[in-house]
Amino acid sequence: MVIRLGLAQIDITVGDINGNVEKVLTYIDMAKKNDVDILVFPELTITGYPPEDLLLRLDFIRENLKALEKVAVATKGLETLVLLGFVDYDGEIYNSAAILKNGKIAGKYHKMHLPNYSVFDEKRYFAPGNKPVIIEHAGLKIGVNICEDLWVPTGPINDQCIAGANLIVNLSASPFCVNKWRSRLNMLLTRAMEYSAIIAYCNIIGGQDELVFDGRSMLVTPEGKHHIASAFEEELFVVDVDPFVSTRYNLYEGKRKGYSKVSELETVRLSISGKLGIKKTPPAKPDESRWEEEAFKALVLGLKDYVRKNGFKKVALGLSGGMDSSLVACIASEALGSDNVIGVLMPSEFTSKESVEDATLLAKNLAINKLTISIKEVYHSYLNALETVFKNTKTDVTEENIQARIRGNYLMALSNKFGWLILATGNKSEIATGYATLYGDMAGGIAVIKDVYKTEVYALAKYFNEVKGREIIPKRVFDKAPSAELKPDQRDQDTLPPYEILDSILKLYIEEGLSQTEIVEHGYGEEVVGFVLKLLQRNEYKRRQGAPGIKISRRAFGKDWRMPITNGYRR
Amino acid sequence: MVIRLGLAQIDITVGDINGNVEKVLTYIDMAKKNDVDILVFPELTITGYPPEDLLLRLDFIRENLKALEKVAVATKGLETLVLLGFVDYDGEIYNSAAILKNGKIAGKYHKMHLPNYSVFDEKRYFAPGNKPVIIEHAGLKIGVNICEDLWVPTGPINDQCIAGANLIVNLSASPFCVNKWRSRLNMLLTRAMEYSAIIAYCNIIGGQDELVFDGRSMLVTPEGKHHIASAFEEELFVVDVDPFVSTRYNLYEGKRKGYSKVSELETVRLSISGKLGIKKTPPAKPDESRWEEEAFKALVLGLKDYVRKNGFKKVALGLSGGMDSSLVACIASEALGSDNVIGVLMPSEFTSKESVEDATLLAKNLAINKLTISIKEVYHSYLNALETVFKNTKTDVTEENIQARIRGNYLMALSNKFGWLILATGNKSEIATGYATLYGDMAGGIAVIKDVYKTEVYALAKYFNEVKGREIIPKRVFDKAPSAELKPDQRDQDTLPPYEILDSILKLYIEEGLSQTEIVEHGYGEEVVGFVLKLLQRNEYKRRQGAPGIKISRRAFGKDWRMPITNGYRR
């Protein structure tokens, strides 16, 4: 018996209940036209993910329940079974899946395993469910669960499979980081084989503040076959499966039964639908993209959705002729179209001729808009105004920061006057070490490459030029030594270790959680490690006030990094 | 039999394990000299509270365990029983209390109830304990538990009292908000009566980023007697009690037994100590302070500790002659001494003569340092620089923000040059509605009155003058209409509703969680409510980049307010 599954990996907006419901209804209609038997939406489709403290508002929960009723009504007369994420409420709230059939809410499932690590705070809001659910539909037994439920080896899938589930459906909202999709695929294949189950997994796509969701919904079988939907694109992913053929490989039956006893499993019985689909989607190849490709796409989608969902159309950024702002301009052009990008050159007396040329050439190559506003006169007016107060002091980083903050003020003035969103261009190595000026080059609505180390910035820039088949980012930008150009003959490497070393140390500390001693044991000099970690720890106050950035690494500065500012720990 | 309890309500620093241990050793010595039988430290004494993502670092956990050993060794030869908060580790980590006696760790307790709401994220880090603990010491049975454990009506105290505990000791880290101490006292009295138990409750004092801990450690008896330690001050609070006299009122025995069965209670047996104390502290009166007094003290301590613990000595702030900066200057003078405060006047062409006079008079009254740096010329240099780009546009909020950001740039330049910490002066009403300039007057290391509504700012200012017995803040500052003075004849109330109405609406939304409709039902006009909530929602991006402020309300912008920036919800 062949079943047609539709996985609706859609781009929804947190809080925009009406807009999300409109999109759900469109996809239900599309599913109907494509003879889909079972249509699956992602986790918390109605509210968007993550709704954060909106979940503390009872009026918001009620709106979401009304919206669910509206979708339920829209399934009247359809043969399609619809599984939809929403927030259920009975005094406590639950991260839930609704089972919609022929105009009715035929059943509900409450997520049992709530993630509360990394960027997740689900235990702040939700009570855990305590009953696995099985849907009887079209002669099938369908086990439904939500995201984290499936990452737990003996989650509800255990009871569902013991109760004879032929198909497991998982509603998910799994944020992107580089290579995460491989873990997901491996996890799904493990569960499928372990439980001898066919698993249909539906993930969100789209950007939500610092998170990007990459979609890549999947269908996996116990035999290790897998079908993967597009990455970073909305899609109704349709797959035809025959659960009874697949589940004959029941190798793990014995082991499975050993796990735990089925205690309070709930069964939702539905009438059997009529005609079933017959087409089959050919198995997709596993995604073989390079990390540069997926990181770049994630940044493009993250930026695009941040701009669009916050009601902006155009963005502006300072173009220095350096690599960071060049890469951000490329990402912005891809995300929004070059017409919607304004590159602002803000030269000072320390800006080299080459930098102006490189920035100009980049703007030309990308066909973005260009503005030039000198900071020279304004800078000197600051020096005049502060002359008395600064009498008998030496020139230091103060004067450099004044320049960066004049540029920040210019950009924000353009934002205020013309409604452009400002893009901050700092990279992760800079944000980590405080090698960026708070309220200066850190100013902006979103920090596009905040989670990209400097060495990775170069790699992404190289990748971009390769894809475009020409030197959009001028060769000289790759070749010259990085410099903030805030004083004569300044080079980043005058005050920071070489970026290869810096980035390696930072990754070991931030992403691997190693201590100073352990990093030294990895072969880095004690002095350089101590220096880097001191910079990292001292600049927490800056990060606290930085613009949100798009997470592409395992651990980004943001919801994923909750370090105290006041912190006496020095290792 | 009289027991002498010492509650060490100390000011510790997150991460500063060595410093915290030094303080603990000092207090152990002090307790010894005062013949204390049982010395109690607050929750997570060794690490400070809350350690946040430091808890994800294994090296940090190990340092804390080493520190615990060090403290244990220091109890060798003492008769005092010491209860100390630390992080235990067995693969998982636990928020724990160590029972130290005569050089040994005689037992450990793992917190069973982990708060994960409001400012708390304990489930992000800790595994819950599963065993209540009783200590047998000096003929007593002492039940030990940690903070939230006691807020849960049937927490470990239930099993401990069934097992015959004569005394309950709670190690706490309960952050301040106005009137919170009354809830604590009521909760403690309820538990004491309900379980017929004497409860000793030891709380931290001090500031840690946005949190302030107010101390007010307490001893309560089933008869409703209570002794309260100082608020906002370090103290070894010593109380003598006779547990056997108090526990004779065993009225609730029957009810208590009904709660739950004692399953896995662990008993730590200790040798009985020798001589017991005999002095008794007279019962303290309940704290009758006005909210202004406690809010002011909280702001002073919060600022003082932020400055000190982050290695600063002097602070600077913009003095506008308005109420917000006047109040912040007063708080700073109290916290740091007037020598360490620099008031910076940054007049523009829109600054009134009265404002300059008021700011000057305030600085004189407080005896703080004063600097004047005009922004006029710099402002005009910006207008010149932007003239071409702004051609054919109308003057609007852009030009106002440029001025605010010049001031931000000045203050940060002073900070960079002289190492002064900058105080942001925005109030909660402003931060809520976005009536403040990002990177302008929002710039600074800490936003002292970020959690104080404008109407409350006036009340605190009035209170301050009353306490000082003279008009430190000049009368005219109270009388004149609030204005940002960023354009001619500007008044806050030209664009915002009257502050009384604004603040009421904001409180109903932020602190009571009411919806737009419900606020209108409270008697506020639909239009004004819609306007205020639109401002609140639209300005989330500014708050995300704002300096941390000191929490004094039930719900502060910060860890307590995790709203998405990208947010389609509009009610």
Side-chain angles (χ1 to χ4, degrees), chain B residues 236-277:
Chain B
L236 176 64
F237 185 62
V238 178
V239 202
D240 290 349
V241 286
D242 185 337
F244 296 102
V245 172
S246 266
T247 50
R248 72 183 172 211
Y249 300 100
N250 216 344
L251 297 172
Y252 286 76
E253 185 74 20
K255 182 181 168 200
R256 194 173 85 195
K257 290 231 165 112
Y259 276 152
S260 72
K261 89 179 216 300
V262 179
S263 42
E264 298 193 86
L265 192 119
E266 186 171 288
T267 302
V268 179
R269 287 193 173 76
L270 299 167
S271 61
I272 290 171
S273 80
K275 183 180 71 68
L276 290 168

Side-chain angles (χ1 to χ4, degrees), chain A residues 57 118 124 209 514 566, chain B residues 57 118 124 209 417 514 566:
Chain A
R57 304 199 62 85
S118 178
R124 179 175 171 86
D209 290 350
L514 299 194
T566 303
Chain B
R57 303 198 62 85
S118 179
R124 178 175 172 86
D209 290 349
K417 192 63 92 184
L514 299 193
T566 303

Side-chain angles (χ1 to χ4, degrees), chain A residues 14 52-53 57 59 118 124 209 310 382 394 399 401 416-417 439 444 514 545 562 565-566 568-569, chain B residues 14 52-53 57 59 118 124 209 382 394 399 401 416-417 439 444 514 545 562 565-566 568-569:
Chain A
V14 163
E52 300 188 89
D53 276 8
R57 304 199 62 85
D59 53 305
S118 178
R124 179 175 171 86
D209 290 350
N310 283 292
Y382 272 94
K394 281 193 290 188
E399 285 74 12
N401 283 334
N416 289 155
K417 192 63 93 183
Y439 319 135
L514 299 194
Q545 296 190 41
R562 306 183 189 179
I565 299 175
T566 303
Y569 191 61
Chain B
V14 163
E52 301 188 270
D53 276 8
R57 303 198 62 85
D59 53 306
S118 179
R124 178 175 172 86
D209 290 349
Y382 272 95
K394 281 193 291 188
E399 285 74 13
N401 283 334
N416 289 154
K417 192 63 92 184
Y439 320 135
L514 299 193
Q545 296 190 41
R562 307 182 190 180
I565 299 175
T566 303
Y569 191 61

Side-chain angles (χ1 to χ4, degrees), chain A residues 174-222:
Chain A
S174 177
F176 170 81
C177 71
V178 169
N179 265 328
K180 173 91 163 277
W181 74 271
R182 287 180 213 270
S183 318
R184 276 188 220 125
L185 176 58
N186 286 336
M187 179 277 288
L188 290 170
L189 286 171
T190 305
R191 293 289 169 278
M193 196 170 80
E194 203 167 39
Y195 288 104
S196 197
I198 293 180
I199 304 175
Y201 168 90
C202 184
N203 193 19
I204 285 176
I205 78 127
Q208 169 62 30
D209 290 350
E210 64 185 65
L211 301 182
V212 184
F213 298 88
D214 52 333
R216 287 170 163 140
S217 297
M218 303 185 194
L219 186 110
V220 300
T221 73

Side-chain angles (χ1 to χ4, degrees), chain A residues 318-472:
Chain A
L319 276 193
S320 69
M323 187 51 95
D324 295 329
S325 59
S326 297
L327 178 64
V328 173
C330 297
I331 295 167
S333 299
E334 288 295 299
L336 309 161
S338 50
D339 281 0
N340 291 319
V341 182
I342 297 99
V344 188
L345 278 71
M346 297 174 285
S348 77
E349 59 210 82
F350 307 117
T351 306
S352 65
K353 190 171 71 61
E354 289 75 16
S355 290
V356 174
E357 287 170 4
D358 292 342
T360 305
L361 182 56
L362 175 84
K364 184 167 163 279
N365 290 347
L366 283 174
I368 61 173
N369 307 283
K370 199 194 78 174
L371 277 180
T372 303
I373 319 172
S374 164
I375 68 160
K376 198 169 163 183
E377 288 73 26
V378 174
Y379 176 54
H380 283 277
S381 74
Y382 272 94
L383 295 183
N384 285 340
L386 292 163
E387 195 175 10
T388 316
V389 178
F390 284 0
K391 203 171 49 191
N392 299 328
T393 66
K394 281 193 290 188
T395 298
D396 58 11
V397 74
T398 308
E399 285 74 12
E400 301 180 31
N401 283 334
I402 289 173
Q403 297 168 59
R405 292 192 180 107
I406 294 169
R407 293 191 175 114
N409 202 340
Y410 277 4
L411 289 172
M412 293 308 291
L414 295 171
S415 175
N416 289 155
K417 192 63 93 183
F418 302 116
W420 303 336
L421 183 78
I422 302 306
L423 308 182
T425 58
N427 62 62
K428 191 170 187 175
S429 315
E430 239 172 48
I431 303 292
T433 53
Y435 201 79
T437 303
L438 186 60
Y439 319 135
D441 51 323
M442 285 179 72
I446 183 163
V448 181
I449 55 170
K450 183 181 178 181
D451 199 29
V452 187
Y453 290 102
K454 185 73 172 187
T455 46
E456 297 172 343
V457 169
Y458 279 93
L460 289 180
K462 186 161 167 278
Y463 161 80
F464 183 76
N465 277 0
E466 275 172 26
V467 168
K468 293 295 166 186
R470 63 196 183 99
E471 284 181 352
I472 303 260

Side-chain angles (χ1 to χ4, degrees), chain B residues 379 396-405 437 484 486-487 490:
Chain B
Y379 175 53
D396 57 12
V397 75
T398 308
E399 285 74 13
E400 301 180 30
N401 283 334
I402 289 173
Q403 296 168 60
R405 292 192 181 110
T437 302
L486 293 168
K487 61 180 184 180
Q490 186 175 35

Side-chain angles (χ1 to χ4, degrees), chain B residues 16-265:
Chain B
D16 184 14
I17 292 176
N18 293 339
N20 297 342
V21 164
E22 283 313 306
K23 188 163 276 184
V24 165
L25 297 180
T26 310
Y27 272 75
I28 289 177
D29 196 51
M30 210 188 297
K32 181 186 159 195
K33 286 177 184 148
N34 285 278
D35 296 323
V36 165
D37 299 301
I38 302 171
L39 175 63
V40 186
F41 287 94
E43 182 175 13
L44 292 187
T45 316
I46 289 181
T47 61
Y49 191 91
E52 301 188 270
D53 276 8
L54 283 173
L55 291 171
L56 304 180
R57 303 198 62 85
L58 196 51
D59 53 306
F60 180 72
I61 304 299
R62 288 192 176 129
E63 285 288 319
N64 129 95
L65 290 171
K66 266 191 262 171
L68 175 66
E69 291 288 347
K70 190 175 165 187
V71 178
V73 168
T75 64
K76 187 146 181 70
L78 298 188
E79 286 176 0
T80 313
L81 177 73
V82 176
L83 298 177
L84 180 68
F86 77 107
V87 180
D88 202 10
Y89 175 67
D90 69 0
E92 304 268 17
I93 62 169
Y94 304 89
N95 184 335
S96 309
I99 300 148
L100 307 179
K101 186 74 215 291
N102 192 21
K104 294 272 188 314
I105 300 169
K108 291 171 179 178
Y109 166 71
H110 296 164
K111 187 175 184 177
M112 296 172 73
H113 296 279
L114 302 170
N116 206 67
Y117 52 84
S118 179
V119 301
F120 302 108
D121 282 303
E122 292 198 17
K123 290 182 182 171
R124 178 175 172 86
Y125 310 106
F126 297 115
N130 56 16
K131 265 184 204 171
V133 166
I134 287 261
I135 310 162
E136 293 191 359
H137 172 74
L140 282 175
K141 289 185 174 179
I142 305 162
V144 55
N145 52 47
I146 301 176
C147 207
E148 189 78 3
D149 282 333
L150 209 49
W151 291 83
V152 178
T154 54
I157 188 176
N158 180 57
D159 288 355
Q160 289 165 331
C161 285
I162 291 173
N166 320 89
L167 175 67
I168 299 294
V169 174
N170 183 273
L171 287 69
S172 184
S174 177
F176 170 81
C177 72
V178 168
N179 266 325
K180 172 90 163 277
W181 74 271
R182 287 181 212 270
S183 318
R184 277 189 219 124
L185 176 58
N186 286 335
M187 180 277 287
L188 290 170
L189 287 170
T190 304
R191 292 290 169 276
M193 195 171 81
E194 203 168 40
Y195 288 104
S196 197
I198 293 181
I199 303 176
Y201 167 90
C202 183
N203 194 18
I204 284 177
I205 78 129
Q208 169 63 29
D209 290 349
E210 65 185 65
L211 302 181
V212 184
F213 298 88
D214 53 333
R216 288 172 163 138
S217 298
M218 304 187 194
L219 186 111
V220 301
T221 72
E223 303 87 356
K225 284 187 193 155
H226 51 275
H227 308 244
I228 306 182
S230 324
F232 305 109
E233 279 173 36
E234 278 200 322
E235 180 172 22
L236 176 64
F237 185 62
V238 178
V239 202
D240 290 349
V241 286
D242 185 337
F244 296 102
V245 172
S246 266
T247 50
R248 72 183 172 211
Y249 300 100
N250 216 344
L251 297 172
Y252 286 76
E253 185 74 20
K255 182 181 168 200
R256 194 173 85 195
K257 290 231 165 112
Y259 276 152
S260 72
K261 89 179 216 300
V262 179
S263 42
E264 298 193 86
L265 192 119

